[in-house]
Amino acid sequence: MVPCTVFWVPPDDHENLAGMSCPPLIFRIMKYRTLGSNTREVSAVGYGGMHVSVAGRPDEAVSIETIHASLDHGVTLIDTADVYCLDHTEIGHNERLIAKALDQWSGNRDSITVATKAGMTRPEGNWEYDGSPQHIKAACEASLKALSVDCIDLYQHHAPDPRVPFADSIGAFRDLQDQGKVRWIGISNVSVAQIEEARSVAEIKTVQNRLNPFFREAIDEGVLGHCDENGICFLAYSPVGGGRLNKKLPDHAVVGPIAEAHETTPHAIVLAWVLAQSPSVIIIPAARSSANAINSTTVPDIALTAKELALLDGAEFSRA
Ligand SMILES: NC(=O)c1ccc[n+]([C@@H]2O[C@H](COP(=O)([O-])OP(=O)(O)OC[C@H]3O[C@@H](n4cnc5c(N)ncnc54)[C@H](OP(=O)(O)O)[C@@H]3O)[C@@H](O)[C@H]2O)c1
């Protein structure tokens, strides 16, 4: 047996290994979690595509570079939606961008799971609900085209529409699955009662709700626990607090020292806290730069101690 060192080497540094007398085995830090029972394993850290398509987005080349940075560092799940765009004139912007990024990526496209959503619209840039079966079925056709696929890996109902019976909206997703246009179904922005209502209509693999230290209602109201008990994957959105609150993290009195102890960033510590809430959790942080995207991919390697988790549990995270 040849003794060998095993350590993580970023893909950018692989050429530096040439000529070493005993090349190390290379492995990825990235850990994997299931996307719901009987689905597939995906990276515990996904990539959330929203901020590269809404207001404040970078130019396309930077966006594609950022998506590639995530994928090159082990991300195998991308979250998008038809409504990640500026307004109704460019529905599907984020889906087309992701399709282009995947097309140009040097890795194996088949190893990447893309999750998109239907059930909202963007008239004049506003965010509105449309959970009608007609809208969902038309949106699916548009998303198949935008993503350039025959079948959507994970199709999520974006949010319950108060004007449409929830069972009718989910029925449209079940019909699309029966037609082979959708592989797995997920729901988003839901309560425990709505999860159960959806499950009476279709097999639900994922629930995508907000979870971060500023907003813990997914824990307090039992949604995360319900996912744990029923083999449903919980996709935690806005895991560092979203576009505004994440900017408060570098100055946080409790997060800062823990980040220093782990020689990482406050954002990574908060993401590690979210990931530590349950093995059912997969985090889908957004990023508009490769540096932020890569930072998030290091999170599964951070082992917070029981004391650190308790400190973060008890800390105040002001939304002011
Ligand atoms: N289902 C829903 O209703 C719903 C709602 C909201 C979001 N989502 C999904 O969840 C994803 C994430 O949520 P979000 O975009 O609201 O907020 P978020 O992931 O909490 O991130 C907000 C911002 O924090 C910064 N950030 C993230 N990770 C970082 C890191 N490791 N280091 C430094 N900065 C970091 C990024 O800034 P920069 O952009 O400047 O890099 C990012 O845009 C979205 O992209 C979308 O896919 C779903």
Side-chain angles (χ1 to χ4, degrees):
M1 173 111 83
V2 182
C4 247
T5 323
V6 179
F7 60 89
W8 160 248
V9 180
D12 290 347
D13 291 345
H14 286 180
E15 62 270 28
N16 297 336
L17 302 174
M20 286 177 71
S21 55
C22 173
L25 298 174
I26 299 165
F27 76 105
R28 290 195 178 278
I29 285 174
M30 186 56 75
K31 292 183 173 61
Y32 295 84
R33 291 187 172 184
T34 172
L35 198 59
S37 53
N38 302 318
T39 56
R40 73 192 299 191
E41 300 269 298
V42 295
S43 53
V45 180
Y47 175 77
M50 184 171 73
H51 284 280
V52 290
S53 285
V54 296
R57 66 193 187 197
D59 66 32
E60 186 178 284
V62 172
S63 300
I64 289 178
E65 189 182 283
T66 304
I67 295 166
H68 286 175
S70 284
L71 301 177
D72 288 342
H73 286 75
V75 164
T76 66
L77 172 68
I78 300 180
D79 180 70
T80 178
D82 56 348
V83 287
Y84 293 166
C85 59
L86 295 179
D87 61 27
H88 63 282
T89 62
E90 54 167 31
I91 289 290
H93 179 279
N94 197 242
E95 295 172 320
R96 288 188 291 275
L97 181 64
I98 284 162
K100 190 169 184 181
L102 286 170
D103 203 39
Q104 293 177 1
W105 186 49
S106 56
N108 175 14
R109 164 69 181 87
D110 294 340
S111 67
I112 308 301
T113 300
V114 178
T116 191
K117 312 186 192 80
M120 297 197 78
T121 58
R122 299 297 310 282
E124 311 302 331
N126 296 316
W127 298 81
E128 292 186 6
Y129 303 113
D130 190 346
S132 66
Q134 304 89 297
H135 172 76
I136 288 164
K137 289 180 180 178
C140 180
E141 297 304 327
S143 288
L144 287 166
K145 199 169 164 216
L147 288 168
S148 215
V149 294
D150 298 326
C151 178
I152 294 170
D153 296 331
L154 174 65
Y155 205 31
Q156 304 162 100
H157 184 240
H158 208 143
D161 180 345
R163 300 165 311 167
V164 178
F166 193 44
D168 290 358
S169 301
I170 301 305
F173 282 78
R174 185 201 49 214
D175 291 348
L176 292 166
Q177 189 176 46
D178 289 346
Q179 292 164 14
K181 295 177 178 173
V182 167
R183 186 160 186 201
W184 299 304
I185 299 172
I187 50 180
S188 181
N189 296 298
V190 286
S191 65
V192 169
Q194 286 164 333
I195 296 172
E196 282 314 291
E197 189 178 356
R199 291 177 78 209
S200 72
V201 178
E203 193 177 358
I204 302 301
K205 296 297 190 185
T206 61
V207 164
Q208 183 177 142
N209 277 16
R210 178 175 58 190
L211 178 56
N212 58 60
F214 300 94
F215 290 97
R216 306 179 188 201
E217 69 279 355
I219 299 171
D220 300 339
E221 294 169 10
V223 169
L224 179 55
H226 196 69
C227 290
D228 290 343
E229 286 160 17
N230 291 285
I232 298 170
C233 166
F234 183 95
L235 294 170
Y237 81 67
S238 301
V240 291
R244 180 178 69 88
L245 292 173
N246 88 86
K247 296 192 175 71
K248 295 167 71 108
L249 294 177
D251 300 322
H252 195 279
V254 174
V255 177
I258 297 176
E260 272 175 38
H262 286 267
E263 297 181 350
T264 187
T265 65
H267 284 77
I269 293 299
V270 162
L271 290 172
W273 177 87
V274 178
L275 208 50
Q277 297 310 305
S278 156
S280 310
V281 171
I282 290 176
I283 52 174
I284 49 168
R288 285 172 297 182
S289 69
S290 298
N292 287 349
I294 292 168
N295 179 254
S296 294
T297 67
T298 65
V299 167
D301 209 38
I302 299 171
L304 295 173
T305 65
K307 190 177 166 198
E308 289 165 341
L309 285 168
L311 278 170
L312 293 164
D313 287 345
E316 193 197 345
F317 284 83
S318 168
R319 299 178 205 161

PDB file of all heavy atoms in Angstrom, residues 17 27 75 147 158 163 168-170 177 207 217 219 228 248 288:
ATOM      1  N   LEU A  17      -0.352  20.419  -8.872  1.00  0.00           N
ATOM      2  CA  LEU A  17      -0.029  19.081  -8.370  1.00  0.00           C
ATOM      3  C   LEU A  17       0.873  18.324  -9.330  1.00  0.00           C
ATOM      4  O   LEU A  17       1.502  17.344  -8.963  1.00  0.00           O
ATOM      5  CB  LEU A  17      -1.323  18.273  -8.172  1.00  0.00           C
ATOM      6  CG  LEU A  17      -2.339  18.911  -7.225  1.00  0.00           C
ATOM      7  CD1 LEU A  17      -3.620  18.093  -7.231  1.00  0.00           C
ATOM      8  CD2 LEU A  17      -1.765  18.989  -5.831  1.00  0.00           C
ATOM      9  N   PHE A  27     -10.235  15.050  -3.003  1.00  0.00           N
ATOM     10  CA  PHE A  27     -11.654  14.852  -2.757  1.00  0.00           C
ATOM     11  C   PHE A  27     -12.309  16.188  -2.499  1.00  0.00           C
ATOM     12  O   PHE A  27     -11.655  17.170  -2.206  1.00  0.00           O
ATOM     13  CB  PHE A  27     -11.880  13.911  -1.571  1.00  0.00           C
ATOM     14  CG  PHE A  27     -11.643  14.529  -0.228  1.00  0.00           C
ATOM     15  CD1 PHE A  27     -12.720  14.873   0.583  1.00  0.00           C
ATOM     16  CD2 PHE A  27     -10.359  14.797   0.234  1.00  0.00           C
ATOM     17  CE1 PHE A  27     -12.508  15.455   1.818  1.00  0.00           C
ATOM     18  CE2 PHE A  27     -10.145  15.375   1.455  1.00  0.00           C
ATOM     19  CZ  PHE A  27     -11.221  15.709   2.256  1.00  0.00           C
ATOM     20  N   VAL A  75     -21.217  22.171  -5.906  1.00  0.00           N
ATOM     21  CA  VAL A  75     -22.672  22.358  -5.860  1.00  0.00           C
ATOM     22  C   VAL A  75     -23.329  21.536  -6.972  1.00  0.00           C
ATOM     23  O   VAL A  75     -22.900  21.596  -8.126  1.00  0.00           O
ATOM     24  CB  VAL A  75     -23.027  23.856  -6.009  1.00  0.00           C
ATOM     25  CG1 VAL A  75     -24.504  24.056  -6.349  1.00  0.00           C
ATOM     26  CG2 VAL A  75     -22.672  24.599  -4.717  1.00  0.00           C
ATOM     27  N   LEU A 147     -35.356  26.269 -19.892  1.00  0.00           N
ATOM     28  CA  LEU A 147     -34.287  25.429 -19.327  1.00  0.00           C
ATOM     29  C   LEU A 147     -33.704  24.484 -20.382  1.00  0.00           C
ATOM     30  O   LEU A 147     -32.684  23.828 -20.127  1.00  0.00           O
ATOM     31  CB  LEU A 147     -34.823  24.597 -18.154  1.00  0.00           C
ATOM     32  CG  LEU A 147     -35.123  25.373 -16.863  1.00  0.00           C
ATOM     33  CD1 LEU A 147     -35.925  24.509 -15.894  1.00  0.00           C
ATOM     34  CD2 LEU A 147     -33.830  25.863 -16.202  1.00  0.00           C
ATOM     35  N   HIS A 158     -44.722  27.882  -6.150  1.00  0.00           N
ATOM     36  CA  HIS A 158     -43.969  28.981  -5.525  1.00  0.00           C
ATOM     37  C   HIS A 158     -44.572  29.448  -4.202  1.00  0.00           C
ATOM     38  O   HIS A 158     -43.850  29.669  -3.222  1.00  0.00           O
ATOM     39  CB  HIS A 158     -43.866  30.151  -6.516  1.00  0.00           C
ATOM     40  CG  HIS A 158     -42.656  30.995  -6.309  1.00  0.00           C
ATOM     41  ND1 HIS A 158     -41.949  31.544  -7.343  1.00  0.00           N
ATOM     42  CD2 HIS A 158     -42.009  31.405  -5.192  1.00  0.00           C
ATOM     43  CE1 HIS A 158     -40.929  32.236  -6.869  1.00  0.00           C
ATOM     44  NE2 HIS A 158     -40.953  32.177  -5.562  1.00  0.00           N
ATOM     45  N   ARG A 163     -56.550  33.014  -3.889  1.00  0.00           N
ATOM     46  CA  ARG A 163     -57.759  32.992  -4.723  1.00  0.00           C
ATOM     47  C   ARG A 163     -58.023  31.620  -5.353  1.00  0.00           C
ATOM     48  O   ARG A 163     -59.040  31.427  -6.019  1.00  0.00           O
ATOM     49  CB  ARG A 163     -57.643  34.021  -5.861  1.00  0.00           C
ATOM     50  CG  ARG A 163     -57.470  35.461  -5.399  1.00  0.00           C
ATOM     51  CD  ARG A 163     -57.000  36.308  -6.560  1.00  0.00           C
ATOM     52  NE  ARG A 163     -55.863  35.641  -7.228  1.00  0.00           N
ATOM     53  CZ  ARG A 163     -55.367  35.975  -8.402  1.00  0.00           C
ATOM     54  NH1 ARG A 163     -55.882  36.965  -9.078  1.00  0.00           N
ATOM     55  NH2 ARG A 163     -54.327  35.327  -8.914  1.00  0.00           N
ATOM     56  N   ASP A 168     -56.232  22.490  -6.042  1.00  0.00           N
ATOM     57  CA  ASP A 168     -56.316  22.647  -7.500  1.00  0.00           C
ATOM     58  C   ASP A 168     -54.934  22.971  -8.080  1.00  0.00           C
ATOM     59  O   ASP A 168     -54.542  22.452  -9.135  1.00  0.00           O
ATOM     60  CB  ASP A 168     -57.293  23.772  -7.879  1.00  0.00           C
ATOM     61  CG  ASP A 168     -58.747  23.394  -7.579  1.00  0.00           C
ATOM     62  OD1 ASP A 168     -58.977  22.256  -7.124  1.00  0.00           O
ATOM     63  OD2 ASP A 168     -59.624  24.255  -7.793  1.00  0.00           O
ATOM     64  N   SER A 169     -54.204  23.863  -7.388  1.00  0.00           N
ATOM     65  CA  SER A 169     -52.849  24.206  -7.865  1.00  0.00           C
ATOM     66  C   SER A 169     -51.966  22.960  -7.862  1.00  0.00           C
ATOM     67  O   SER A 169     -51.266  22.679  -8.848  1.00  0.00           O
ATOM     68  CB  SER A 169     -52.210  25.269  -6.957  1.00  0.00           C
ATOM     69  OG  SER A 169     -52.990  26.433  -6.916  1.00  0.00           O
ATOM     70  N   ILE A 170     -52.003  22.222  -6.775  1.00  0.00           N
ATOM     71  CA  ILE A 170     -51.130  21.035  -6.676  1.00  0.00           C
ATOM     72  C   ILE A 170     -51.586  19.963  -7.676  1.00  0.00           C
ATOM     73  O   ILE A 170     -50.770  19.226  -8.230  1.00  0.00           O
ATOM     74  CB  ILE A 170     -51.108  20.487  -5.224  1.00  0.00           C
ATOM     75  CG1 ILE A 170     -50.608  21.584  -4.260  1.00  0.00           C
ATOM     76  CG2 ILE A 170     -50.206  19.241  -5.117  1.00  0.00           C
ATOM     77  CD1 ILE A 170     -49.255  22.192  -4.602  1.00  0.00           C
ATOM     78  N   GLN A 177     -46.718  15.955 -13.796  1.00  0.00           N
ATOM     79  CA  GLN A 177     -45.870  14.791 -13.473  1.00  0.00           C
ATOM     80  C   GLN A 177     -46.385  13.555 -14.215  1.00  0.00           C
ATOM     81  O   GLN A 177     -45.599  12.792 -14.792  1.00  0.00           O
ATOM     82  CB  GLN A 177     -45.881  14.552 -11.961  1.00  0.00           C
ATOM     83  CG  GLN A 177     -44.886  13.521 -11.494  1.00  0.00           C
ATOM     84  CD  GLN A 177     -44.893  13.409  -9.985  1.00  0.00           C
ATOM     85  OE1 GLN A 177     -45.955  13.349  -9.352  1.00  0.00           O
ATOM     86  NE2 GLN A 177     -43.716  13.401  -9.383  1.00  0.00           N
ATOM     87  N   VAL A 207     -39.941  20.907   0.596  1.00  0.00           N
ATOM     88  CA  VAL A 207     -40.619  22.126   1.059  1.00  0.00           C
ATOM     89  C   VAL A 207     -39.564  23.221   1.088  1.00  0.00           C
ATOM     90  O   VAL A 207     -38.504  23.045   1.692  1.00  0.00           O
ATOM     91  CB  VAL A 207     -41.222  21.931   2.465  1.00  0.00           C
ATOM     92  CG1 VAL A 207     -41.579  23.260   3.104  1.00  0.00           C
ATOM     93  CG2 VAL A 207     -42.463  21.037   2.385  1.00  0.00           C
ATOM     94  N   GLU A 217     -39.376  31.012  11.930  1.00  0.00           N
ATOM     95  CA  GLU A 217     -40.739  30.490  12.014  1.00  0.00           C
ATOM     96  C   GLU A 217     -40.844  29.057  11.482  1.00  0.00           C
ATOM     97  O   GLU A 217     -41.723  28.301  11.928  1.00  0.00           O
ATOM     98  CB  GLU A 217     -41.730  31.432  11.288  1.00  0.00           C
ATOM     99  CG  GLU A 217     -41.618  31.489   9.769  1.00  0.00           C
ATOM    100  CD  GLU A 217     -40.497  32.399   9.252  1.00  0.00           C
ATOM    101  OE1 GLU A 217     -39.851  33.073  10.071  1.00  0.00           O
ATOM    102  OE2 GLU A 217     -40.269  32.422   8.023  1.00  0.00           O
ATOM    103  N   ILE A 219     -38.966  26.700  12.185  1.00  0.00           N
ATOM    104  CA  ILE A 219     -38.723  25.840  13.351  1.00  0.00           C
ATOM    105  C   ILE A 219     -39.878  26.012  14.342  1.00  0.00           C
ATOM    106  O   ILE A 219     -40.500  25.039  14.764  1.00  0.00           O
ATOM    107  CB  ILE A 219     -37.384  26.213  14.027  1.00  0.00           C
ATOM    108  CG1 ILE A 219     -36.221  26.013  13.052  1.00  0.00           C
ATOM    109  CG2 ILE A 219     -37.179  25.408  15.310  1.00  0.00           C
ATOM    110  CD1 ILE A 219     -34.885  26.566  13.538  1.00  0.00           C
ATOM    111  N   ASP A 228     -38.934  16.606   8.704  1.00  0.00           N
ATOM    112  CA  ASP A 228     -38.081  15.544   9.274  1.00  0.00           C
ATOM    113  C   ASP A 228     -38.864  14.244   9.441  1.00  0.00           C
ATOM    114  O   ASP A 228     -38.393  13.160   9.088  1.00  0.00           O
ATOM    115  CB  ASP A 228     -37.569  15.945  10.665  1.00  0.00           C
ATOM    116  CG  ASP A 228     -36.558  17.070  10.606  1.00  0.00           C
ATOM    117  OD1 ASP A 228     -36.021  17.330   9.516  1.00  0.00           O
ATOM    118  OD2 ASP A 228     -36.316  17.698  11.658  1.00  0.00           O
ATOM    119  N   LYS A 248     -25.823  42.782   7.874  1.00  0.00           N
ATOM    120  CA  LYS A 248     -25.596  43.030   9.294  1.00  0.00           C
ATOM    121  C   LYS A 248     -24.651  41.984   9.923  1.00  0.00           C
ATOM    122  O   LYS A 248     -24.146  42.189  11.020  1.00  0.00           O
ATOM    123  CB  LYS A 248     -26.938  42.977  10.044  1.00  0.00           C
ATOM    124  CG  LYS A 248     -27.906  44.084   9.632  1.00  0.00           C
ATOM    125  CD  LYS A 248     -29.305  43.808  10.165  1.00  0.00           C
ATOM    126  CE  LYS A 248     -29.352  44.006  11.653  1.00  0.00           C
ATOM    127  NZ  LYS A 248     -30.068  45.200  12.073  1.00  0.00           N
ATOM    128  N   ARG A 288     -23.749  36.833  -6.026  1.00  0.00           N
ATOM    129  CA  ARG A 288     -23.499  37.548  -7.292  1.00  0.00           C
ATOM    130  C   ARG A 288     -22.016  37.625  -7.589  1.00  0.00           C
ATOM    131  O   ARG A 288     -21.608  38.326  -8.506  1.00  0.00           O
ATOM    132  CB  ARG A 288     -24.109  38.953  -7.229  1.00  0.00           C
ATOM    133  CG  ARG A 288     -25.618  38.968  -7.371  1.00  0.00           C
ATOM    134  CD  ARG A 288     -26.175  40.335  -7.123  1.00  0.00           C
ATOM    135  NE  ARG A 288     -25.907  40.756  -5.749  1.00  0.00           N
ATOM    136  CZ  ARG A 288     -26.316  41.903  -5.216  1.00  0.00           C
ATOM    137  NH1 ARG A 288     -27.006  42.752  -5.944  1.00  0.00           N
ATOM    138  NH2 ARG A 288     -26.035  42.191  -3.970  1.00  0.00           N
TER     139      ARG A 288
END
